[in-house]
């Protein structure tokens, strides 16, 4: 990764890969130009250099009109093109090609999830450089996300950030994961689609106030001083002011302002009690708290989703709205979707869905076993032989995941060989490319 000295940048350059402040903080996505305003902000924050994998690209291409040059207009919102990528990924996910197996469906859902991550990143980046957020476009994109989550909850909730994505701006990762959880809770609470959209927009933007703070305050693994913690605690007010300046609906402004308030009045910034807190903030604080417990950070090890659920259910000091906690439980189950579990009968499985009437006994997909046609086997857990004994440790989960991947490759090879043998028996000739199985 090459070093980029900010004081040497001229003519509003762009880069062929992401421009990073360090391994954790994304300054600009690839191809977006470095504006004079951004350089001014970086200078005010005393940042003198960044990093990029690819070479710099200065100004427009020689001999090509500006409007068709490779470098985008500095005022053009990159979210528009990324929103188009989201739509394409959503359309691909509905293709019959991605509906034939559980694994292919999971792959298509992961692609959509990644495109939404890119979109949220573009929203934050565009605000940081242009002080604008396209409310209409954001609402339309969130509307599609709400429908997608409703139709694919059992897959979306199994996604965890990859090692690569964890090294990028955690604000984006946190906003995405929290938004998925918040919308899932909203669906469980039977919120109208218009309210779900507002909830999703609020959750995506709930950390936007952080962009008015020096990033070394929230992108650090060191212990903050009391003064630094006090500055961090201003981000709900800063976010509220941002959305007020941009004329967002009051309900969204209040959701951002109050997302750190607690039912017992021990939250901030206004120490509100239960009935005074907006409904969006009540949901977001639960979603964010659950996400924070399970999220990897430089300064802590993430805990399992089961441990997170148990902690949320304890609701120590009555911090959270009990109705929202119940919705979290019934939408994810006691052993949340995506958890690897060990059953009383000695089998290992992955929680893939909830039981509407019994969150203690979710639906589990056996990790390695398949039916005679190679399809997945799902069982309803109970209080007998199919009872869940415990969740797997991180190391055990990794071992099972490797075994699942190996088994999948063996099945692919077997299927290819069987197909070739059948063609040969039918009088044809066939060869099998074994390179992908090497």
């Amino acid at each position: 990764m090459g070093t980029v000295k900010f004081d040497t940048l001229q003519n509003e350059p762009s880069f062929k890969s992401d421009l990073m402040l360090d391994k954790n903080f994304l300054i600009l996505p690839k191809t977006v130009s470095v504006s004079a305003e951004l350089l001014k902000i970086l200078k005010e924050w005393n940042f003198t250099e960044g990093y990029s994998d690819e070479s710099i690209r200065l100004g427009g291409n020689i001999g090509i009109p500006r409007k068709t040059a490779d470098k985008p207009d500095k005022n053009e919102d990159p979210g528009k093109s990324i929103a188009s990528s989201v739509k394409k990924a959503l359309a691909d996910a509905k293709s019959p090609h991605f509906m034939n197996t559980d694994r292919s469906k999971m792959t298509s859902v992961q692609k959509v999830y990644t495109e939404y991550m890119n979109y949220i990143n573009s929203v934050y980046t565009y605000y940081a450089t242009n002080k604008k957020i396209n409310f209409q476009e954001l609402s339309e994109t969130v509307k599609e996300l709400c429908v997608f989550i409703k139709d694919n909850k059992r897959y979306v909730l199994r996604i965890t950030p990859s090692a690569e994505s964890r090294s990028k701006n955690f604000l984006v990762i946190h906003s995405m994961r929290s938004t998925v959880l918040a919308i899932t809770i909203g669906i469980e609470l039977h919120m109208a689609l218009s309210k779900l959209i507002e909830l999703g927009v609020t959750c995506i933007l709930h950390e936007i106030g952080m962009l008015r703070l020096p990033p070394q305050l929230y992108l650090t693994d060191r212990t903050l001083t009391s003064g630094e913690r006090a500055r961090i605690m201003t981000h709900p007010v800063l976010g509220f002011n941002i959305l007020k300046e941009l004329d967002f609906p009051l309900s969204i402004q209040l959701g951002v302002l109050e997302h750190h308030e607690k039912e017992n009045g021990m939250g901030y910034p206004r120490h509100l009690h239960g009935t005074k807190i907006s409904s969006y903030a009540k949901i977001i604080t639960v979603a964010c708290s659950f996400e924070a417990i399970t999220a990897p950070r430089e300064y802590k090890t993430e805990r399992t989703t089961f441990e997170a659920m148990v902690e949320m259910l304890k609701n120590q000091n009555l911090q959270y709205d009990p109705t929202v906690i119940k919705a979290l439980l019934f939408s994810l189950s006691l052993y949340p979707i995506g958890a690897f579990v060990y059953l009383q009968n000695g089998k290992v499985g992955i929680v893939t869905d909830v039981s509407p009437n019994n969150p203690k006994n979710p639906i589990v997909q056996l990790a390695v076993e398949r039916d005679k046609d190679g399809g997945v086997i799902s069982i309803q857990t109970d209080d007998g032989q199919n009872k869940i004994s415990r969740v797997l440790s991180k190391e055990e989960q990794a071992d099972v995941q490797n075994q699942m991947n190996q088994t999948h490759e063996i099945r692919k090879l077997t299927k290819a060989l069987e197909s070739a043998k059948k063609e040969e028996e039918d009088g044809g000739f066939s060869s099998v490319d074994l390179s992908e199985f090497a």
Side-chain angles (χ1 to χ4, degrees):
M1 181 173 282
T3 302
V4 178
K5 299 291 186 181
F6 296 144
D7 60 3
T8 65
L9 298 181
Q10 298 176 1
N11 303 325
E12 298 181 357
S14 61
F15 293 80
K16 294 181 181 178
S17 70
D18 294 340
L19 178 62
M20 309 292 292
L21 187 61
D22 53 34
K23 71 175 185 177
N24 293 313
F25 186 73
L26 176 68
I27 299 175
L28 281 180
K30 59 185 179 181
T31 76
V32 177
S33 58
V34 182
S35 66
E37 183 178 5
L38 175 59
L39 290 175
K40 179 181 177 182
I41 292 172
L42 291 170
K43 185 176 181 180
E44 289 174 354
W45 289 348
N46 296 318
F47 291 119
T48 60
E49 62 184 30
Y51 306 90
S52 181
D53 287 330
E54 299 292 340
S55 60
I56 193 170
R57 182 172 55 203
L58 292 173
N61 292 340
I62 297 174
I64 300 178
R66 178 176 176 82
K67 65 179 181 179
T68 60
D70 191 38
K71 184 180 78 66
D73 189 309
K74 69 175 182 178
N75 294 317
E76 183 179 350
D77 184 355
K80 293 180 180 179
S81 60
I82 297 177
S84 297
S85 298
V86 171
K87 290 180 183 294
K88 184 179 184 305
L90 287 167
D92 289 345
K94 297 177 182 178
S95 168
H97 172 71
F98 289 111
M99 300 293 284
N100 55 5
T101 68
D102 185 78
R103 183 178 283 263
S104 63
K105 184 64 176 176
M106 190 70 207
T107 299
S108 69
V109 169
Q110 175 72 66
K111 182 178 179 181
V112 173
Y113 187 97
T114 300
E115 290 297 342
Y116 268 103
M117 287 268 290
N118 292 338
Y119 177 74
I120 293 174
N121 182 66
S122 73
V123 170
Y124 272 64
T125 301
Y126 191 66
Y127 176 76
T129 56
N130 292 273
K131 301 297 183 286
K132 296 178 183 178
I133 299 174
N134 188 327
F135 173 66
Q136 187 62 40
E137 177 195 272
L138 179 56
S139 297
E140 287 297 319
T141 308
V142 170
K143 177 182 178 180
E144 293 167 339
L145 178 61
C146 292
V147 175
F148 183 74
I149 291 174
K150 186 175 186 298
D151 293 341
N152 299 277
K153 185 183 82 168
R154 62 191 300 264
Y155 294 98
V156 177
L157 292 175
R158 286 156 62 180
I159 295 175
T160 55
S162 65
E164 179 183 357
S165 67
R166 288 174 182 177
S167 69
K168 293 189 177 181
N169 192 343
F170 93 90
L171 290 182
V172 174
I173 299 170
H174 171 68
S175 295
M176 179 64 192
R177 296 184 79 201
S178 299
T179 299
V180 168
L181 289 167
I183 291 173
T184 300
I185 292 170
I187 292 171
E188 182 66 29
L189 292 171
H190 305 290
M191 294 177 70
L193 180 58
S194 60
K195 297 297 183 183
L196 278 178
I197 294 169
E198 284 198 344
L199 171 63
V201 169
T202 306
C203 199
I204 284 176
L205 298 176
H206 77 278
E207 300 283 32
I208 197 72
M210 289 288 194
L211 297 186
R212 288 193 173 175
L213 295 171
Q216 62 264 36
L217 289 182
Y218 55 87
L219 294 176
T220 180
D221 56 357
R222 66 177 175 82
T223 302
L224 298 177
T225 66
S226 58
E228 289 172 331
R229 286 196 300 272
R231 291 192 69 184
I232 285 287
M233 291 173 67
T234 64
H235 79 270
V237 176
L238 295 174
F240 169 79
N241 288 335
I242 288 171
L243 300 187
K244 184 178 180 181
E245 291 166 5
L246 296 174
D247 201 27
F248 270 62
L250 180 60
S251 56
I252 295 178
Q253 295 177 32
L254 292 177
V256 169
L257 176 65
E258 299 169 3
H259 74 271
H260 275 292
E261 300 288 357
K262 302 296 183 185
E263 293 291 302
N264 56 14
M266 299 300 291
Y268 65 90
R270 295 189 292 167
H271 308 293
L272 300 179
H273 284 80
T275 57
K276 302 284 187 179
I277 304 170
S278 75
S279 59
Y280 296 158
K282 286 173 180 279
I283 294 172
I284 292 171
T285 191
V286 168
C288 287
S289 297
F290 185 89
E291 193 282 329
I293 296 170
T294 61
R297 294 284 190 270
E298 293 289 340
Y299 53 86
K300 75 175 183 67
T301 302
E302 71 270 26
R303 285 182 280 168
T304 67
T305 53
F306 172 71
E307 291 172 319
M309 183 62 74
V310 170
E311 182 168 328
M312 298 301 293
L313 290 173
K314 288 179 181 177
N315 198 5
Q316 291 184 344
N317 301 318
L318 301 177
Q319 300 177 67
Y320 310 112
D321 186 320
T323 301
V324 179
I325 293 292
K326 183 178 179 180
L328 177 73
L329 173 65
F330 275 80
S331 58
L332 271 69
S333 89
L334 178 61
Y335 301 92
I337 293 174
F340 282 69
V341 294
Y342 186 81
L343 306 181
Q344 191 80 28
N345 58 19
K347 298 182 185 296
V348 174
I350 309 169
V351 178
T352 57
D353 211 344
V354 298
S355 296
N357 300 319
N358 190 348
K360 187 178 71 172
N361 295 326
I363 307 296
V364 168
Q365 176 184 304
L366 299 185
V368 179
E369 295 181 43
R370 293 292 184 270
D371 62 24
K372 62 180 181 179
D373 297 320
V376 299
I377 299 175
S378 295
I379 61 173
Q380 169 69 65
T381 57
D382 52 38
D383 294 325
Q385 284 298 305
N386 291 328
K387 180 179 180 180
I388 296 177
S389 297
R390 63 180 178 86
V391 295
L392 270 60
S393 67
K394 188 176 180 180
E395 293 72 23
E396 289 174 324
Q397 178 178 328
D399 289 341
V400 172
Q401 191 70 63
N402 287 335
Q403 187 178 358
M404 290 171 62
N405 291 336
Q406 292 171 8
T407 303
H408 175 68
E409 293 304 317
I410 291 172
R411 288 197 188 98
K412 283 171 63 179
L413 175 58
T414 302
K415 186 175 181 180
L417 291 172
E418 288 175 348
S419 177
K421 182 178 179 181
K422 186 176 186 305
E423 280 195 35
E424 187 175 355
E425 290 174 348
D426 291 341
F429 295 93
S430 176
S431 62
V432 180
D433 182 6
L434 301 180
S435 61
E436 65 174 305
F437 303 104

